[in-house]
Amino acid sequence: MTSTMTIAADLTADTTTAIAVLSAAEQEELIRQHMPLVGHLVRDMLSRIPNHIHRDDLTSAGLHALVTAAQGWDPNRGIPFNRFATTRIRGAILDELRSLDWATRSVRTKARQTDATRQSLTVALGRTPTADELAQALGTTTTDLNQTDNDVQRATVLSLQGFTTSSADDLVTERAPGPEDMLLRREQIGYLHHAIDSLPERLQYVINEYFLKERPMADIAADLGVTESRVSQLRAEALSLLKDGLNTHLDPHLAPIPENPDSIVARRRGAYFDQIAGNTSLRSRLALTNAYGMTAA
């Protein structure tokens, strides 16, 4: 998290002192093409933070960063815009999280120290320590102790779900997975790739273009000669097949049970699930990633 403030400063410098290299039309096209990138980064961040944080706040910050990235990007430097914008969007999202945290980092640190000391004293004394005992163990006064408690309570923004003694930096953790977790992750990635490859051609095209290549839905619709509404339907159908196909092989208890197994739809879905099984093996799944879970280029 050490680079976020630096990123913000660089972004400000880029957008206030640098002369725009691209025309307004080129900037607008870049922004339009990469709007799905903001959604992906926001969804990734939301999976690692408390539920009381609203998507709209993070999305707004991410879109603003995307606009400023388009204004400050210089293609002559050799840095792909996707990578250039991703760094700035992530930094803006983290800055937004920090702005939503009313307590300072020092208050959060004191709160964690107080909680840890209280737990230790409870174990040692066999009861909850008094305020004087807790203050003495912390090397402070009861007045300072009460002030810290008041600061933390003020930072609890009317939501029990929002209560935490962690700062934004602590909430967005980057724990390295262990060997078993990494193996499971590689298995899941492998299954996902094989499930996509087993989709019908049009559904596979929509998934690859929209999610993996991050192309706008309008462009995909033009390629297929259909409306954007039809592309949205194809995307929903593909995601449903992928979800049920992965659950069939990874979490069978979550796999749906068709009401009429003999129906055409049920037979088609069953054939798709069987095709995934026929297209995958442990060796082929693991071959798609390296030992660190990174997908091969």
Side-chain angles (χ1 to χ4, degrees), residues 31 61 69 71 86 92 112 125 155 175 180 209 234 237 264:
I31 293 168
Q71 294 171 347
T86 295
R112 287 195 295 271
L125 299 174
R175 299 187 185 91
E180 182 179 355
E209 297 298 308
L234 292 173
E237 181 182 351
I264 296 176

Side-chain angles (χ1 to χ4, degrees), residues 4 7 18-19 22 53 66-67 89 101 114 162 182 198 206 219 237 257 261 295:
T4 306
I7 291 171
I19 298 175
L22 302 180
I53 303 296
L66 175 61
V67 171
I89 294 170
D101 186 5
T114 301
M182 180 57 70
S198 300
V206 170
D219 293 350
E237 181 182 351
I257 300 176
T295 306

Side-chain angles (χ1 to χ4, degrees), residues 40 82 192-193 196 204 206-215:
H40 296 332
N82 186 285
L192 176 60
H193 278 275
I196 293 174
Q204 183 183 148
V206 170
I207 291 296
N208 282 325
E209 297 298 308
Y210 185 79
F211 288 104
L212 302 185
K213 296 183 180 179
E214 299 177 351
R215 295 185 61 201

Side-chain angles (χ1 to χ4, degrees), residues 11-295:
L11 178 56
T12 302
D14 285 345
T15 57
T16 57
T17 62
I19 298 175
V21 176
L22 302 180
S23 66
E26 290 172 329
Q27 293 176 18
E28 182 178 352
E29 180 64 18
L30 270 181
I31 293 168
R32 187 176 67 85
Q33 289 180 355
H34 290 83
M35 286 180 67
L37 176 61
V38 176
H40 296 332
L41 295 176
V42 169
R43 284 194 296 271
D44 177 67
M45 191 67 71
L46 286 172
S47 67
R48 294 180 283 149
I49 59 179
N51 294 332
H52 73 283
I53 303 296
H54 295 293
R55 175 192 296 268
D56 291 346
D57 295 331
L58 303 187
T59 300
S60 177
L63 289 173
H64 180 265
L66 175 61
V67 171
T68 53
Q71 294 171 347
W73 182 58
D74 183 356
N76 297 322
R77 295 181 179 178
I79 301 175
F81 180 76
N82 186 285
R83 191 175 74 184
F84 181 84
T86 295
T87 301
R88 281 149 178 77
I89 294 170
R90 282 178 175 158
I93 291 174
L94 286 173
D95 285 342
E96 179 65 19
L97 284 174
R98 290 192 182 94
S99 72
L100 296 174
D101 186 5
W102 289 8
T104 63
R105 183 173 298 182
S106 62
V107 169
R108 296 297 187 188
T109 300
K110 289 181 181 178
R112 287 195 295 271
Q113 292 173 345
T114 301
D115 288 342
T117 304
R118 182 182 287 112
Q119 292 175 9
S120 298
L121 287 176
T122 299
V123 173
L125 299 174
R127 57 175 174 80
T128 302
T130 64
D132 290 335
E133 291 170 337
L134 184 58
Q136 184 177 1
L138 289 168
T140 185
T141 64
T142 55
T143 301
D144 290 340
L145 193 62
N146 291 333
Q147 184 61 49
T148 298
D149 289 339
N150 290 335
D151 290 340
V152 172
Q153 289 174 9
R154 282 197 297 271
T156 308
V157 190
L158 301 178
S159 172
L160 292 177
Q161 288 182 328
F163 179 74
T164 175
T165 56
S166 300
S167 65
D169 290 341
D170 299 320
L171 291 173
V172 186
T173 55
E174 294 287 351
R175 299 187 185 91
E180 182 179 355
D181 293 334
M182 180 57 70
L183 186 61
L184 290 174
R185 173 180 170 79
R186 294 179 63 191
E187 271 258 78
Q188 292 169 345
I189 293 174
Y191 262 119
L192 176 60
H193 278 275
H194 290 314
I196 293 174
D197 292 341
S198 300
L199 285 170
E201 184 177 354
R202 285 168 70 87
L203 301 184
Q204 183 183 148
Y205 181 82
V206 170
I207 291 296
N208 282 325
E209 297 298 308
Y210 185 79
F211 288 104
L212 302 185
K213 296 183 180 179
E214 299 177 351
R215 295 185 61 201
M217 194 174 293
D219 293 350
I220 301 173
D223 291 346
L224 295 177
V226 297
T227 63
E228 290 188 49
S229 177
R230 178 53 182 159
V231 173
S232 180
Q233 293 174 354
L234 292 173
R235 181 186 63 180
E237 181 182 351
L239 290 176
S240 176
L241 279 174
L242 286 173
K243 176 184 176 182
D244 293 343
L246 292 174
N247 283 336
T248 297
H249 295 285
L250 294 173
D251 295 297
H253 64 286
L254 297 177
I257 300 176
E259 295 182 0
N260 183 6
D262 295 327
S263 67
I264 296 176
V265 173
R267 290 203 301 269
R268 285 178 177 174
R269 293 174 72 87
Y272 168 67
F273 302 154
D274 292 340
Q275 187 174 356
I276 296 176
N279 289 344
T280 186
S281 66
L282 178 60
R283 182 184 294 274
S284 66
R285 291 192 294 273
L286 296 182
L288 291 169
T289 54
N290 60 23
Y292 302 100
M294 301 298 292
T295 306

